[in-house]
Amino acid sequence: MTEAIRKSGKRHYLDKDARKKQLIEQAADLVEGKGWAVLNMSALADHAKVSRQLVYQHFPNLDGLLVETARHIFMETMMMSQAAIMGHQSNIRDAVRAAGMVSLDLPQGRGDALWQLIAGMNYGSEALEKLRMRIRELILSLWVPLFQKTYEMEETSARSLVWMLIIAFWGLRQMVRDGMVSREQAMDEMDRVVKAVL
């Protein structure tokens, strides 16, 4: 908030879409800083310095807030990963490395929030669980056709293999995050896994 707004007690007017976008960004900031478990209507209102009534005007329930926040956190990374993969369609190892670097370059909180979504942490939200399954399908849709084409695999085998590699990569990312291996070591290990599996 600017000093003038603080003194007057009035907040800058935003139209409905801009205010909702701002609230989603604040929710993502909260999740990336403290984890999914802290996100609720009151926590968002406090973090964004708005009333709970305003939060409820944009998100009728916690499920809606969770889903919108998860979608926001995921989509930017998805688009960057897609660009990395498309830039290396002729070489899966290079595609894995490029997409891996996208994930390793994420701020720690964002990466942790995505890992929790991908790994399927249980938050007791049916809506978030449905979104998590859609996220899995989107991730698979990026990789499965490339594996099928390159290795002449049937879809079920390609889906299983791709998901195992995704989980292996995110496990390595957690080891980088925790200082157990360097980024370079993690990518070298992922290269080794891809080579061994394929």
Side-chain angles (χ1 to χ4, degrees):
M1 248 189 258
T2 67
E3 188 63 29
I5 293 171
R6 267 192 226 115
K7 285 181 180 177
S8 71
K10 293 183 179 178
R11 187 177 2 271
H12 177 71
Y13 174 78
L14 294 175
D15 69 31
K16 186 176 181 177
D17 291 340
R19 176 66 68 195
K20 184 172 184 175
K21 181 180 178 191
Q22 181 187 52
L23 288 171
I24 291 170
E25 289 170 355
Q26 289 291 315
D29 184 60
L30 187 60
V31 167
E32 291 169 10
K34 297 182 180 179
W36 286 99
V38 302
L39 184 58
N40 60 47
M41 305 307 222
S42 295
L44 176 56
D46 291 345
H47 187 72
K49 297 179 177 42
V50 299
S51 69
R52 282 187 294 172
Q53 180 182 1
L54 182 69
V55 173
Y56 277 102
Q57 287 173 358
H58 293 281
F59 307 99
N61 55 45
L62 181 58
D63 276 351
L65 175 60
L66 287 168
V67 166
E68 290 286 340
T69 304
R71 187 176 289 123
H72 174 78
I73 289 171
F74 174 73
M75 287 311 292
E76 182 180 346
T77 305
M78 167 77 171
M79 290 186 295
M80 291 186 303
S81 296
Q82 184 175 26
I85 294 164
M86 294 303 185
H88 300 281
Q89 289 186 36
S90 61
N91 185 316
I92 285 186
R93 285 180 60 204
D94 289 346
V96 168
R97 182 170 279 275
M101 293 310 286
V102 167
S103 299
L104 288 174
D105 288 342
L106 293 172
Q108 181 177 324
R110 177 155 294 206
D112 289 349
L114 285 170
W115 164 245
Q116 291 167 2
L117 279 174
I118 290 167
M121 308 299 182
N122 183 5
Y123 299 104
S125 166
E126 187 176 323
L128 190 58
E129 181 63 17
K130 286 180 183 176
L131 178 64
R132 188 182 72 74
M133 297 304 290
R134 284 195 303 261
I135 286 171
R136 178 185 294 177
E137 289 305 315
L138 286 170
I139 293 169
L140 289 170
S141 74
L142 290 178
W143 289 103
V144 168
L146 184 58
F147 275 72
Q148 284 182 284
K149 179 180 174 187
T150 304
Y151 298 106
E152 299 179 1
M153 301 175 88
E154 66 175 60
E155 184 178 359
T156 302
S157 296
R159 288 172 61 83
S160 299
L161 179 62
V162 165
W163 197 247
M164 285 188 287
L165 290 172
I166 295 294
I167 295 300
F169 169 76
W170 280 90
L172 283 169
R173 185 206 166 272
Q174 291 303 98
M175 293 181 76
V176 171
R177 175 190 160 284
D178 295 341
M180 297 173 73
V181 297
S182 70
R183 291 165 52 96
E184 294 76 26
Q185 288 171 315
M187 292 314 299
D188 288 346
E189 290 303 322
M190 198 65 210
D191 282 345
R192 199 169 310 166
V193 168
V194 170
K195 186 177 180 181
V197 169
L198 301 174

